[in-house]
């Protein structure tokens, strides 16, 4: 995969290419401090993003912009996923943070990741981190975010980027498959296709996710960042789905508004305590 753009501090028009030997995943353990619950994943991911931008001297892998501050196309910059291990979730606190960039981390980005040991922010946010491993998605067996499966289920709310379409008379507009155009499910399928995933055989809505032994609805999650940039959610609401593909796909699977900050994230369906 490649994209036209320019590296921070580099020449305009530079071509970014994936380097097979470079790691594309950095997984951290939360080892101290006061980790928030998974419902605050967007807030913590935003603070981690700011830390990595600073530590990397503004690498495009973390900023998502070229040297002229123009957003890169193709979603090649880093995703930040907060996780809550079902075996360690307690009251639903974040137990791990995974950073993923499909073009890989070079020396500049690896140095930033290896030097990151603490995140802090407004209020009482203070989280101590330990880098568990740098590698490729297939190196993290047992991680529900990075596995390979036919069946996936929402772990964080999907934030649709479009509004449901209606005629001037208020009649819903449908596509050839019978889905209302612009509806959350319609937008999910569109975004999965744009991300290179096959069209799912089945899509079913789910009301929430399991945290601390109970079902937590999507509206309980923070769904808007403090620093509002980029594509916004269409209506601010959160949605969840279980999706099933004809063949197993490699994770991570994450689409929708704020997906680079952990929203719209899916995990292996078998990993859910249901």
């Amino acid at each position: 995969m490649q994209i036209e753009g320019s590296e921070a501090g580099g020449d305009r028009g530079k071509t970014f290419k994936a380097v097979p030997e470079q790691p594309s995943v950095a997984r951290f353990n939360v080892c101290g401090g006061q980790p928030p619950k998974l419902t605050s994943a967007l807030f913590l991911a935003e603070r981690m993003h700011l830390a990595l931008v600073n530590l990397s001297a503004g690498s495009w892998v973390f900023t998502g912009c070229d040297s002229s501050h123009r957003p890169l196309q193709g979603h090649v910059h880093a995703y930040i996923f907060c996780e809550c291990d079902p075996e360690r979730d307690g009251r639903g606190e974040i137990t791990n943070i995974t950073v993923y960039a499909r073009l890989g981390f070079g020396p500049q980005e690896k140095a930033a990741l290896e030097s990151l040991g603490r995140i802090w922010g407004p209020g009482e946010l203070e989280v101590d981190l330990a880098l568990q491993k740098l590698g490729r998605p297939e190196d993290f067996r047992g991680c529900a975010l990075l596995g390979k499966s036919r069946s996936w289920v929402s772990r964080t709310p999907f934030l649709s980027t479009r509004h449901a379409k209606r005629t001037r008379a208020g009649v819903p507009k449908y596509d050839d498959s019978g889905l209302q155009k612009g509806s959350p499910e319609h937008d999910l399928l569109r975004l999965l296709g744009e991300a290179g995933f096959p069209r799912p055989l089945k899509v079913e809505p789910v009301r929430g996710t399991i945290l601390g032994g109970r079902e937590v609805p999507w509206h309980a999650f923070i769904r808007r960042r403090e620093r509002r940039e980029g594509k916004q959610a269409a209506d601010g609401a959160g949605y969840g789905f279980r999706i099933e593909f004809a063949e197993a796909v490699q994770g991570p699977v994450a689409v929708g508004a704020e997906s680079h900050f952990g929203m719209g994230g899916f995990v292996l369906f078998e990993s859910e305590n249901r």
Side-chain angles (χ1 to χ4, degrees):
M1 179 177 293
Q2 63 184 49
I3 182 173
E4 296 298 325
S6 59
E7 193 169 350
D11 297 328
R12 295 181 64 178
K14 182 175 181 178
T15 299
F16 299 135
K17 297 182 179 180
V19 180
E21 61 269 23
Q22 287 186 165
S24 59
V25 176
R27 194 157 191 259
F28 293 83
N29 291 324
V30 174
C31 57
Q34 299 180 358
K37 294 183 180 181
L38 189 66
T39 49
S40 296
L42 186 60
F43 176 59
L44 183 55
E46 183 177 16
R47 303 308 300 183
M48 186 160 186
H49 166 260
L50 292 173
L52 289 171
V53 168
N54 291 332
L55 290 169
S56 67
S59 166
W60 65 267
V61 174
F62 300 125
T63 66
C65 297
D66 65 16
S67 58
S68 298
H69 305 291
R70 297 174 303 189
L72 298 173
Q73 302 301 308
H75 296 284
V76 294
H77 60 294
Y79 290 76
I80 299 174
F81 301 104
C82 295
E83 304 170 60
C84 178
D85 187 335
E87 296 183 1
R88 297 172 51 204
D89 74 348
R91 296 181 298 113
E93 292 93 349
I94 293 169
T95 59
N96 300 87
I97 303 179
T98 294
V99 184
Y100 168 74
R102 56 188 176 185
L103 296 191
F105 302 120
Q108 181 180 359
E109 295 77 40
K110 287 193 289 185
L113 291 162
E114 290 169 349
S115 64
L116 181 60
R118 175 172 294 181
I119 303 172
W120 60 88
E124 298 182 350
L125 178 65
E126 185 173 329
V127 176
D128 296 326
L129 300 175
L131 181 61
Q132 173 188 339
K133 185 178 181 180
L134 285 165
R136 309 288 294 183
E138 56 271 20
D139 298 330
F140 294 83
R141 294 184 179 181
C143 176
L145 174 72
L146 300 171
K148 190 172 184 179
S149 177
R150 293 176 58 235
S151 297
W152 297 79
V153 66
S154 292
R155 187 58 165 161
T156 54
F158 169 73
L159 307 180
S160 180
T161 62
R162 293 188 173 181
H163 294 281
K165 304 298 183 183
R166 297 178 180 272
T167 66
R168 291 184 178 180
V171 179
K173 294 183 178 180
Y174 296 98
D175 65 10
D176 294 338
S177 67
L179 286 176
Q180 185 178 6
K181 295 181 178 179
S183 65
E185 183 175 339
H186 186 270
D187 199 32
L188 172 69
L189 294 175
R190 178 183 68 85
L191 293 169
L192 285 171
E194 289 184 358
F197 292 103
R199 187 179 179 89
L201 296 176
K202 184 186 299 183
V203 178
E204 299 175 347
V206 295
R207 297 177 302 178
T209 191
I210 303 299
L211 293 176
R214 64 185 183 89
E215 185 176 75
V216 176
W218 304 120
H219 66 74
F221 281 74
I222 294 174
R223 302 184 301 282
R224 186 176 181 86
R225 280 191 285 142
E226 287 187 319
R227 300 189 178 191
R228 180 58 260 159
E229 301 171 355
K231 191 72 173 179
Q232 298 189 36
D235 58 11
Y239 304 89
F241 300 94
R242 186 174 77 85
I243 54 179
E244 184 175 322
F245 297 99
E247 297 181 358
V249 302
Q250 176 68 59
V253 179
V255 292
E258 308 294 11
S259 58
H260 285 273
F261 293 81
M263 295 294 97
F266 289 76
V267 294
L268 307 181
F269 179 62
E270 295 80 4
S271 72
E272 281 273 294
N273 290 339
R274 291 182 180 273

